[in-house]
Every structure is written in C-alpha cells, then in structure tokens.
Amino acid sequence: MSKRKLKEDSFTNQECISKVQRTLRERFCLQNPNGKLFGMELQYKHLLELLKRTAIHGESNSVLIIGPRGSGKTLLTCHVLKKLMEGKQVRDNTLQVHLNGLLQTNDKIALKEITRQLNLENVVGDKVFGSFAENLTFLLEALKRGDRAHSCPVLFILEEFDLFVHHKNQTLLYNLFDISQSAQTPIAVVGLTCRLDILELMEKRVKSRFSHRQIYLMNSFDFNKYLNICKEQLSLPPEFPEKSFTQKWNKNIQSLLEDPKVQGVLQNQFHHSKDLRSLFKLLMLASNSITVSHPYINASDLLESGKLCRMDSKANILHGLSVLEFCLIIAMKHLNDTYEEEPFNFQMVYNEYQKFVQRKAHTVYSFEKPVVMKAFEHLMHLELIKPVEGPSVCAQREYLLMKLLLDNSQIMDALQVYPNCPTDVKQWATSSVN
C-alpha cells in the first residue's frame, strides 16, 4: 500500500513540475499578451486611444513606436490589439495587416502580403494596374461597404519600420500615409523601430504626410522594480491547480530573491542590460534545472545561469584549440601589439611562430609549414580570424591579409583556463613584444 501511494505521489509531483515548466516557458519564450506590461502604462493608454479612434470612430491615424531592442514595442502592440479586439463590434469590423521589414524586402512583396492578409486575392484576380499606388488604392477601395462613412477600418502594423524606409522611393509608406490623411478608408499605420533618427530617413513627401505622433519606450525602472519583475515572472499564479505547491513555490521564490548572492547576479545583469529579454533568458536557464528530485530553484541555479549568460563564446572556442593553433593566436597577438592592429598575413604569423620555436629550441613545438598552414586555415573556419575586405593584391594564400577577431583580454582569459597548457607557451603569451 505504501509503495502504491509513493508511486501516486511521484506521478503527481511529475505532473506538477511539468505544469510549472510549461507555465514559465510560456512567459519567457512567447510574446504572451496575457502577461503583464512593466513601466508602459502611459504608452499603453496612448496607443489604445489612437487605435480606438480608428476602429470605432473611423478616424485615420499614424504613429511610430520608438525604443531600443527588447524594450517591449511588439509586446505593447500585442496587448493593445488584444484589448481593442475584446469588443465584438470592433472584432467583426476591423482588419489587421502585419508586415515586417525583414520579410517584406520590397514594395511588391509587401503588396502581395497585404492582399493575402486581407483575403483579396480573388478580388484582384488577373487585373493589371499601371502603378503600385493604383493597386494599393484598389485594394483599399475593395474593402468599402457602401459609402465612406461605413468603410472597414484597417490597422497596419509595420515591424522593423526603418527597413521599409529603404524601399525604392518609399512608395508603400507614401501611399499608406497619404490614405491616412485623406477621407478614404480609415486606416491606422503603426510603425515599430529602434532607430531614433527615423524621421531623418524619410523623404520630404512621406514626412509631410506623417502625423508626427511618436511613442517612446525606455526601460527606466530601478533595481527594486527589476527585482519585483523577477518575482512576478517566477511566481506561480493563484489559478495554478496545485494550491499547496503554489504556496511553497512562491515562498521559495521570495526567500531566493532576498539572498545577497542572487541579488548580486541580478544586479550584474541589470547593469549590463535592462533588456527584459536578457533577464528572461537568465530566469529560463535557471528554471531548466527543475526536476522531480529538485523541485525548487535555488541560489546555485541562478549563479550557474549567470555564468552561462556572461560566457564569452569566442573564448570558449579557444579552449578547444590545439597547442599549435593557440601558438598561432599568440603570434597574432604579438603582431597586433607590434604593428598596432594592422592586418597581417600567414607568412608574418609563421615567422613569429618560428622565432618562438628557435628561441625555446623545442622540437615538440616544431611543425612543418603545410601543417601550420592547415592550423591557420582552421582558425579562419572557426571565424577567429577573417580576411580583410577589399580587393586582394596577391592571390597567394600565404600573403592574404587577415585580421584577428579576438582582443588581448579574451586570449589571456582563455589561456588561464586552457587545459594542460605548456609553461613555455604561457610565458610567451605574457612576455613583452619582441
């Protein structure tokens, strides 16, 4: 009987842990419009009011949401659209078009995507239009229900807005802003960008038709607010099915965030970047350690996650190099120090390496030139070095100019933890430039 009960408890715990992981992953990995907005209450009200005027009152608008990457531009837009679409009348009568500058690389592709999202492929059919403007105008006219007062509002959400500015003649933007200023179909154009100089990139005719409404997003919260965000993101909601587990979990999170070591990790993350996506990455790594035998996050999990987040990927590649390849990296370091970051070629690196071999009189470090060349090419494949851009003067690979993509601190840090690194190589790396 006791064994059976133990099995049942184990099953319940396993089910509970999987629910916890699912809940946390949905928060950290998805742009969840059911989540909370942090420090964007005013911007939320402003954008919601603008889009309501278009969706309910038929008033055309245009606005730019400007902020650094990770500041919550997309999340803010998702929250506003979710709130706006709660009303049945708005949901039934308002159309949305989502474009992205990374995907719609020119106006022709963008127009096809608009047609697809508005389900107007059958309307357009085989008709041929003289210009992009005529095609776009026809598409919007096709949405009208009778007269202008009863047209169907359309919300255009343009992510990576600055990339649309680089389209030829900025035709798409010109026509969208032009329609938003006329008494045609009511539309709202919402552009999301991280470029502060976005208005300077617009042509005069485009800028004159833009409303110049701008919403700025900045992660302006302090460290105490940052801790509260951590707590809210890691805590389980009241509707979580296992009530007793929820209480224990939330109590554990409270004590965890009061730990000085944990606060130190979070403070480092806060000073490095206030981007909430980087915080969610840290918390996600910590939550990955949760298992049935280890059901709660502890301080060591967060400390380990902090190390993983701060880990230098290029320095990690150095740990897996052979001694010969590391010697070539050190030779390049000395050449950089001697010639003040000027490009070098393989022959220069080989000569520097040969000086080291002759000085130490060690046959153990001596390799034939083709072997050294192979090691040099391997470093190029690993992207630790790269050819200098521009036309090559000489086609011979020995004399192809290269640039080292590592700085001295990365090399020296990797050297300290390099497994079984020979003493001679360490001394050569730390020695002054010859």
Side-chain angles (χ1 to χ4, degrees):
M1 188 70 181
S2 60
K3 284 184 179 179
R4 186 179 173 184
K5 190 173 186 309
L6 192 66
K7 280 184 181 178
E8 285 176 358
D9 289 347
S10 175
F11 175 75
T12 305
N13 288 339
Q14 194 169 354
E15 200 176 45
C16 189
I17 293 300
S18 66
K19 283 178 183 174
V20 171
Q21 288 177 330
R22 195 181 307 118
T23 302
L24 295 179
R25 282 170 185 164
E26 282 176 359
R27 282 182 190 170
F28 300 144
C29 301
L30 303 175
Q31 291 283 357
N32 189 359
N34 297 318
K36 292 187 178 181
L37 290 174
F38 302 103
M40 293 188 273
E41 291 77 12
L42 292 174
Q43 292 91 334
Y44 173 81
K45 287 178 183 175
H46 188 181
L47 184 59
L48 182 60
E49 183 58 34
L50 275 175
L51 296 187
K52 269 185 179 177
R53 282 189 231 158
T54 302
I56 298 170
H57 305 296
E59 177 189 315
S60 293
N61 281 302
S62 56
V63 62
L64 285 177
I65 303 173
I66 302 171
R69 295 200 181 278
S71 57
K73 299 183 292 294
T74 304
L75 191 62
L76 171 67
T77 310
C78 288
H79 273 72
V80 169
L81 290 174
K82 181 178 181 290
K83 180 68 177 174
L84 189 68
M85 296 300 163
E86 283 177 358
K88 188 177 185 305
Q89 186 185 353
V90 174
R91 188 167 60 247
D92 292 343
N93 296 318
T94 306
L95 297 169
Q96 296 181 40
V97 176
H98 293 263
L99 302 176
N100 191 309
L102 294 169
L103 301 175
Q104 285 77 49
T105 51
N106 61 50
D107 287 343
K108 190 176 179 182
I109 297 171
L111 190 57
K112 281 185 180 178
E113 184 60 18
I114 293 169
T115 309
R116 187 190 68 79
Q117 291 191 32
L118 295 179
N119 296 318
L120 290 173
E121 294 99 327
N122 296 331
V123 176
V124 176
D126 297 326
K127 292 187 180 182
V128 179
F129 297 96
S131 68
F132 172 83
E134 286 177 23
N135 201 338
L136 181 61
T137 305
F138 171 79
L139 288 173
L140 294 173
E141 288 286 340
L143 298 173
K144 291 194 172 185
R145 298 181 178 177
D147 55 23
R148 294 184 179 184
H150 297 90
S151 298
C152 190
V154 188
L155 308 180
F156 286 88
I157 313 299
L158 277 62
E159 297 209 44
E160 304 292 343
F161 181 84
D162 48 288
L163 297 181
F164 287 99
V165 172
H166 296 300
H167 289 188
K168 187 180 179 182
N169 299 329
Q170 300 181 4
T171 312
L172 176 68
L173 297 182
Y174 171 77
N175 283 283
L176 287 177
F177 288 149
D178 188 52
I179 292 167
S180 72
Q181 281 204 337
S182 65
Q184 296 178 358
T185 304
I187 71 168
V189 183
V190 182
L192 284 65
T193 181
C194 57
R195 293 285 297 263
L196 292 172
D197 60 343
I198 186 65
L199 289 179
E200 303 303 316
L201 299 175
M202 290 184 191
E203 290 182 4
K204 250 184 191 177
R205 64 187 188 127
V206 178
K207 199 187 297 186
S208 66
R209 281 159 177 78
F210 174 54
S211 67
H212 288 263
R213 289 191 180 92
Q214 296 166 64
I215 298 174
Y216 287 93
L217 292 182
M218 299 292 170
N219 293 328
S220 55
F221 39 77
D222 58 10
F223 183 64
N224 288 330
K225 178 67 176 173
Y226 194 74
L227 279 177
N228 288 334
I229 293 171
C230 290
K231 184 181 174 182
E232 287 186 39
Q233 291 299 297
L234 286 173
S235 298
L236 293 177
E239 59 270 16
F240 194 77
E242 303 290 335
K243 302 299 179 188
S244 59
F245 182 82
T246 303
Q247 288 178 355
K248 290 177 185 176
W249 174 276
N250 291 344
K251 191 176 179 182
N252 174 70
I253 294 300
Q254 178 66 42
S255 60
L256 177 72
L257 295 176
E258 290 170 359
D259 189 319
K261 289 181 182 177
V262 170
Q263 288 196 4
V265 172
L266 293 174
Q267 204 146 25
N268 284 338
Q269 188 71 23
F270 176 75
H271 291 310
H272 179 260
S273 171
K274 290 184 182 181
D275 180 350
L276 290 181
R277 287 185 301 190
S278 61
L279 171 64
F280 293 163
K281 181 185 174 184
L282 172 71
L283 300 181
M284 181 69 189
L285 288 170
S287 67
N288 284 343
S289 61
I290 302 168
T291 60
V292 176
S293 57
H294 180 71
Y296 302 106
I297 299 173
N298 57 31
S300 60
D301 295 331
L302 267 169
L303 290 171
E304 188 61 33
S305 300
K307 286 179 186 175
L308 287 171
C309 286
R310 292 192 303 274
M311 199 173 279
D312 188 335
S313 57
K314 283 188 178 175
N316 284 344
I317 294 173
L318 290 177
H319 301 162
L321 297 181
S322 65
V323 174
L324 170 60
E325 288 164 345
F326 215 112
C327 285
L328 294 182
I329 292 287
I330 295 168
M332 295 171 204
K333 169 186 173 293
H334 284 315
L335 285 171
N336 272 349
D337 293 343
T338 306
Y339 299 108
E340 298 179 347
E341 307 289 332
E342 285 292 315
F344 52 82
N345 57 40
F346 168 75
Q347 193 60 47
M348 293 167 69
V349 175
Y350 183 72
N351 292 342
E352 193 73 20
Y353 166 70
Q354 283 297 106
K355 286 182 195 173
F356 164 68
V357 173
Q358 290 165 10
R359 189 166 61 250
K360 293 299 176 183
H362 271 298
T363 54
V364 70
Y365 302 128
S366 183
F367 294 93
E368 293 181 4
K369 193 172 183 180
V371 177
V372 180
M373 184 68 188
K374 196 73 178 173
F376 187 82
E377 287 175 345
H378 185 232
L379 295 176
M380 191 160 58
H381 290 315
L382 292 173
E383 296 184 1
L384 297 176
I385 56 175
K386 72 166 186 178
V388 174
E389 293 179 359
S392 178
V393 178
C394 184
Q396 285 186 330
R397 54 183 185 168
E398 288 90 345
Y399 300 101
L400 188 66
L401 289 176
M402 309 292 288
K403 191 174 181 66
L404 182 63
L405 301 178
L406 297 161
D407 56 39
N408 287 358
S409 61
Q410 287 176 308
I411 297 169
M412 298 313 292
D413 289 345
L415 194 68
Q416 298 306 316
V417 292
Y418 187 84
N420 305 318
C421 184
T423 308
D424 291 341
V425 175
K426 279 190 177 180
Q427 288 175 347
W428 181 39
T430 54
S431 65
S432 59
V433 179
N434 293 327

